[in-house]
Amino acid sequence: MQNYTLANGVQIPAVGLGTWQTPDDETGYQAVLSALKLGYRHIDTAQGYRNEDIVGRAVRDSGISREEVFITSKLDNPNHGYDNTIRSFEETLQKLGTDYVDLFLIHWPNPLQYRSTWQQTNAETWNAFEELYHAGKIRAIGISNFRQHHIDELLKTAEIMPMVNQIRLCPGDTQDELVKYCRERNILLEAYSPLGTGQIFKVSEMQVLAEKYHKSIAQICIRWSLQNGFLPLPKSVTAERISENIDVFGFELSDEDISLIAGLRGCVGLSKDPDTTNW
């Protein structure tokens, strides 16, 4: 497994297992456990996914030392603000059964219930993140779904630059201006829904590429993400697909095909506007 290096020097495995919509039951537990046994060392969860407990249990039961597994979680929308962040982070540690997380993200920049005060609320939230980081309870801190103006506002009071921005990045949804903005600030781009929440399998151009490279459509997407310098977080609960999704380091896409994939604009839909969504 290859790694990226975050701004503070922390190493993060270049592909992670996404767990959005992974059930908080035996199926979800077995999916995470299978991923760890198949070589994954990066698991991405969130307070809002309601499955932190099965992630923690799978890590413990895998027999792999805690230090070898990179665990990410995210702050749920109702938990913004300094006090809520501190309280809910402790709950995250309890559910995961660990005394630290490797990466913690603000999941959403502008939740509906904080829409009129999001700037101040994010500043208070980030202050709590920085305290937890300095206390050694979080190895790296970052954001998710933040656009440029959200980051600009955060940086008015932040002492530490976010190290990661986890956003939707997939064929046809490349958010070029935001990617450029983050790279200029040494913020790593993590790509959630790198397979377009399954819609990519209906795109004929991707089937042609899969046949050309003798790979699956999922592998083409994940490889495309890596060659763009993104960190993809594919999700599956099927061991065969989980294994396939990490077998992406033995081939390369041509520059022409990377551009072709990027140019399939809207083929799996486009990212939601975080300032107008109703959650």
Side-chain angles (χ1 to χ4, degrees):
M1 171 67 74
Q2 298 176 6
N3 294 322
Y4 288 114
T5 302
L6 299 178
N8 66 343
V10 166
Q11 298 282 300
I12 180 171
V15 177
L17 179 74
T19 64
W20 178 51
Q21 296 182 328
T22 295
D24 183 29
D25 59 14
E26 187 65 17
T27 297
Y29 164 77
Q30 289 295 339
V32 178
L33 189 61
S34 293
L36 292 166
K37 290 181 176 179
L38 289 165
Y40 285 74
R41 292 297 180 267
H42 179 178
I43 309 296
D44 181 273
T45 182
Q47 294 176 350
Y49 298 170
R50 308 291 186 261
N51 59 18
E52 290 173 314
D53 53 341
I54 60 105
V55 168
R57 183 159 63 93
V59 170
R60 291 191 300 277
D61 292 351
S62 71
I64 301 165
S65 69
R66 172 66 186 89
E67 293 72 24
E68 291 184 45
V69 182
F70 194 101
I71 301 176
T72 298
S73 193
K74 311 177 196 74
L75 185 76
D76 201 9
N77 285 355
N79 296 330
H80 284 216
Y82 179 87
D83 290 336
N84 285 338
T85 297
I86 297 295
R87 173 193 53 77
S88 67
F89 179 76
E90 291 301 324
E91 292 174 358
T92 282
L93 291 183
Q94 291 173 13
K95 289 175 181 176
L96 288 169
T98 184
D99 56 4
Y100 72 97
V101 296
D102 297 278
L103 177 64
F104 199 51
L105 309 176
I106 302 178
H107 205 158
W108 202 257
N110 191 359
L112 185 61
Q113 70 191 87
Y114 296 112
R115 191 137 295 168
S116 63
T117 60
W118 66 266
Q119 299 94 330
Q120 179 61 31
T121 305
N122 281 348
E124 294 171 4
T125 300
W126 195 251
N127 180 31
F129 271 50
E130 291 175 334
E131 285 192 17
L132 292 165
Y133 173 77
H134 287 308
K137 293 187 175 184
I138 308 172
R139 296 180 65 223
I141 53 178
I143 51 182
S144 182
N145 296 296
F146 275 56
R147 301 284 176 88
Q148 293 96 314
H149 63 285
H150 302 124
I151 302 173
D152 284 338
E153 194 65 37
L154 190 68
L155 294 181
K156 290 180 180 179
T157 56
E159 295 180 4
I160 300 172
M161 179 76 70
M163 299 159 194
V164 166
N165 191 9
Q166 185 180 125
I167 60 175
R168 188 177 190 266
L169 291 166
C170 50
D173 190 9
T174 54
Q175 303 201 60
D176 295 341
E177 290 186 11
L178 178 56
V179 166
K180 180 176 183 290
Y181 173 99
C182 288
R183 285 180 170 157
E184 288 171 349
R185 289 154 182 81
N186 200 20
I187 300 172
L188 178 69
L189 280 306
E190 287 190 328
Y192 72 73
S193 299
L195 312 181
T197 57
Q199 296 302 305
I200 196 64
F201 301 111
K202 303 175 184 176
V203 179
S204 59
E205 292 91 340
M206 296 301 295
Q207 183 60 51
V208 171
L209 289 174
E211 293 171 1
K212 173 181 176 179
Y213 288 95
H214 305 289
K215 298 293 181 181
S216 70
I217 289 176
Q219 288 172 318
I220 297 294
C221 289
I222 295 164
R223 185 67 213 174
W224 174 83
S225 193
L226 290 167
Q227 286 185 230
N228 275 290
F230 307 146
L231 194 160
L233 299 164
K235 177 258 178 180
S236 179
V237 295
T238 306
E240 182 180 356
R241 291 176 182 168
I242 290 170
S243 178
E244 178 184 281
N245 290 346
I246 204 173
D247 184 19
V248 291
F249 295 99
F251 74 103
E252 285 197 4
L253 303 173
S254 70
D255 292 343
E256 292 79 10
D257 289 335
I258 288 173
S259 296
L260 184 157
I261 293 168
L264 298 172
R265 180 168 172 78
C267 68
V268 292
L270 298 174
S271 304
K272 297 181 184 298
D273 182 350
D275 291 321
T276 59
T277 50
N278 61 350
W279 60 74

